[in-house]
Every structure is written in C-alpha cells, then in structure tokens.
Amino acid sequence: MARPLWSGSLSFGLVNVPVQIVSAVRDLDLHFHQLHDKDKVRIEQRRFCSKEDVELGIEEVAHSYDLDGKQVIVTDEELASVQPRKTRTIDIETFVALSDLDPIYFDHPYYLVPAGDTEGTLRAYRLLERTMEQSERVAIGRFVMRTKEYLAAIRARDGALLLTTMLFHDEIRPAQPIPTGGKKPSKQQLDRAVAVIEELSTDWDPERYEDCYRQRLLNVVERKRKRQKIEAPKPEKEPAPADDLMEALKRSLEEVRSGGRARS
C-alpha cells in the first residue's frame, strides 16, 4: 500500500469514518537528471536576484502578483491569513448520480482506506462502501490537504472507496470559442461515419493499451547502458486532409470490414 498522504475522518451525517488518503495511481515515467554536458555533473538550481546578482536564502524570498499591470507585494503573514482552516474531516455535502458528473471536472484519483484495523472502524467503512455501491450515488464533499481546500467526488469501486479531487466550475474553459467550422454534414456522411464507429466499437479493456513511448524510452536507456549506438528514426509524413470526405469514409468502412484494422 502507498504511503498515506492525509489522515482524518469521512463525515457522513452523524457517522465519522476514520480514513487515510493514498494515491490511486503510480508515476511510471522516466525522470532524468540534468547534467553539465562538459563534465557530466548534476546541475543545481539556486535563487539569484536579477538586480544585485547575488544568491538568496529562502527567508529572503517575497511574493508578488501582477494585477492589471501592477505588481502587488504579499507577505507570508498575509498569505497565511486566507489559508483554509485546517481540519481533519472530509465533509460530505450532497450525493449525486455518477452520470451527472462530466469527466472534465475530474482531477486526481485517490483511495480512501480505513485508518486502523479496529472492528468499529472497519465496520463503519464497509457500511459506507456498501451503501454507496447499492445506491449508485457519488458523494460530493470538501477537505483540506496541506494548504489547499479541495472539492472531491467519492464513490465505491472494487470494494473500496475512491476519492477523486475535482476542478471548480470556473477552472473549466468554455467550449464556445472553439470553431466548429464547415457546413452541416449530410445524412449520408453521418450514416457512414456512424457505421465506421460501430465497426470499431468494442468493450473497454484497459490492458489492451500500453505506454509505447515509455517502452521505447526504456529500450534507449538499456541500449545506452550497453554502449550501443542510438539512431533517431526518420520523421513520418503527416497524413493530408481528405479531399473527398465521402470517399474517405467509404474506404475506411471497407478497410475495417475487411480486417484492415484490428478489433476485438
């Protein structure tokens, strides 16, 4: 089990369930160190004053915010005055249907796990998990982690409680400025496009998809360790837009039906 990032209780009416938050995902990306190319020594990042050209200690660093073209200086004490009240509670405010939640609002997933192994804690956790599983509802609540208040969606998943932090509504950019362009497609074009989608449709299986870039990167590192030569592949030519959309849809459908594209 991953290291707990937060400990407290989940407040559900008059019921308080002791829980801990652990990340539900793992970072499998390759992280490289930055080196000085000349002597292959790691690079250090330091804070320098651009006016005096002197290195600064963290205690000498202030904060500013650009507001209408003016620089507003804010002290640590002033920042601390607006920090959310640190509580150890996830307060559930309401329950909604999962289908009502647009995935665009989801941010980062965590597991809520029982904080302790006492019979009372495990019983309360299981009761809440089973209740949410049976009701097919998602709890919406708020909690404070570190110095930030989060909006969160909590739901049952695979016998456990999953907490997903959410974006607030004003953090989502509206789609209205995005140009859709072109005239309305004909019924024949829509029918053929839908047919292509139907032919390519299958049940979702996450194990079918691998991070191909990470695998190629691991291969490069392994080959470099063996002092093998690495050659960059030639860039692939970008596909040109279809001149005849109907013909392109027709050929796509024929290719899929003839097995030109793999499907389950």
Side-chain angles (χ1 to χ4, degrees), residues 81-235:
S81 70
V82 296
Q83 286 185 359
R85 183 173 60 91
K86 293 184 178 181
T87 66
R88 310 305 298 176
T89 306
I90 302 172
D91 295 310
I92 296 178
E93 299 180 1
T94 188
F95 291 86
V96 300
L98 179 59
S99 58
D100 289 343
L101 293 179
D102 189 331
I104 195 173
Y105 289 98
F106 294 151
D107 187 17
H108 190 89
Y110 300 88
Y111 283 121
L112 282 177
V113 300
D117 55 2
T118 64
E119 183 180 350
T121 294
L122 296 177
R123 187 189 304 119
Y125 181 92
R126 183 58 60 203
L127 172 63
L128 181 56
E129 184 274 325
R130 293 303 302 156
T131 302
M132 296 186 66
E133 176 74 25
Q134 185 172 337
S135 65
E136 298 182 347
R137 292 279 168 168
V138 178
I140 303 297
R142 296 172 186 259
F143 73 103
V144 176
M145 184 163 59
R146 300 185 182 94
T147 60
K148 183 178 178 180
E149 183 181 58
Y150 291 89
L151 184 66
I154 303 162
R155 63 186 178 93
R157 182 181 187 274
D158 295 337
L161 291 175
L162 181 73
L163 179 149
T164 304
T165 53
M166 301 178 67
L167 301 172
F168 289 96
H169 71 93
D170 54 357
E171 295 181 282
I172 306 299
R173 289 179 173 170
Q176 188 175 0
I178 299 176
T180 55
K183 61 181 181 179
K184 184 178 179 180
S186 66
K187 184 179 183 303
Q188 189 178 12
Q189 288 175 329
L190 283 174
D191 289 344
R192 285 195 175 176
V194 169
V196 172
I197 292 176
E198 290 296 331
E199 288 292 331
L200 290 172
S201 295
T202 185
D203 293 332
W204 165 245
D205 180 8
E207 294 187 3
R208 292 181 58 205
Y209 305 93
E210 302 287 345
D211 188 340
C212 299
Y213 169 72
R214 187 174 72 236
Q215 293 300 322
R216 293 196 301 269
L217 198 55
L218 282 169
N219 183 53
V220 166
V221 172
E222 180 63 24
R223 291 174 61 191
K224 284 287 290 184
R225 187 178 68 87
K226 297 178 180 178
R227 301 183 182 277
Q228 297 179 1
K229 185 178 180 181
I230 307 297
E231 293 184 359
K234 295 181 179 180

Side-chain angles (χ1 to χ4, degrees), residues 28-45:
L28 297 179
D29 289 343
L30 276 69
H31 299 278
F32 293 91
H33 301 293
Q34 290 186 328
L35 307 177
H36 182 195
D37 187 54
K38 179 181 178 181
D39 49 25
K40 305 301 184 287
V41 175
R42 289 192 188 182
I43 295 173
E44 294 183 3
Q45 294 185 347

